[in-house]
Amino acid sequence: MRNHPSGINSAEFVVKKLLCFDEAVGSRAYEVCKDYVVEIEGGREWNFRLN
C-alpha cells in the first residue's frame, strides 16, 4: 500500500517561485515529489496558445 496517491502536478511556477508564493504548500509539494521534479523555464515564447 502506498502512503501517497499518484498524480501529476502542473504549475506555472518553478519551485523557487512557488516557495515565494506559498512556502507551506510549495515545500510540502516539493517534499513529496522532489525525486521527480522537472522544471522547464521559459517565457511566453513557449506558450503555443499565444504564438
Side-chain angles (χ1 to χ4, degrees):
M1 185 174 231
R2 296 153 115 180
N3 293 332
H4 305 286
S6 297
I8 295 174
N9 182 32
S10 176
E12 297 292 326
F13 300 105
V14 294
V15 173
K16 187 176 181 179
K17 284 187 180 181
L18 183 59
L19 292 173
C20 290
F21 180 72
D22 189 329
E23 190 169 340
V25 173
S27 62
R28 177 66 178 138
Y30 181 72
E31 178 185 35
V32 171
C33 62
K34 64 185 170 191
D35 294 334
Y36 307 99
V37 172
V38 176
E39 292 183 341
I40 302 172
E41 294 189 52
R44 289 192 170 174
E45 68 275 5
W46 287 90
N47 188 337
F48 70 90
R49 290 178 212 86
L50 298 175
N51 293 324

